[in-house]
Amino acid sequence: MPAGTIRYWAAAKAAAGTAEEPYTAATLAEALDAVCERHPGELGRVLRRCSFLIDGAPVGTRSHETVRLAEGGTVEVLPPFAGG
């Protein structure tokens, strides 16, 4: 299972209570499910409005279940207007 780093920005950072944390997940959906379990409450609501970059590439409208994560990768959680 790939492991990497999730970096939070703006409202996501405030809701998570941290600027970054590790992930162990095969897909973006799995990683987001795991962080919502670790940070119940506001973070889940904020994530539904966010944009995501995976290793610098925008996720855009792709289903999070189809977005594969890489070993040592980085997931950037951005405000909805950033990163497309």
Side-chain angles (χ1 to χ4, degrees):
M1 180 93 47
T5 303
I6 297 177
R7 292 190 184 133
Y8 300 104
W9 300 95
K13 181 178 175 181
T18 186
E20 64 180 49
E21 64 183 317
Y23 72 74
T24 302
T27 66
L28 178 58
E30 290 175 10
L32 297 179
D33 287 346
V35 298
C36 285
E37 285 181 25
R38 282 195 298 273
H39 307 283
E42 184 65 20
L43 184 58
R45 290 185 289 279
V46 170
L47 290 177
R48 287 192 287 274
R49 298 186 313 264
C50 287
S51 297
F52 301 92
L53 295 178
I54 307 299
D55 299 327
V59 170
T61 60
R62 290 182 288 160
S63 169
H64 295 171
E65 289 82 10
T66 66
V67 179
R68 307 294 298 171
L69 301 179
E71 180 66 32
T74 302
V75 176
E76 304 277 351
V77 182
L78 306 167
F81 57 84

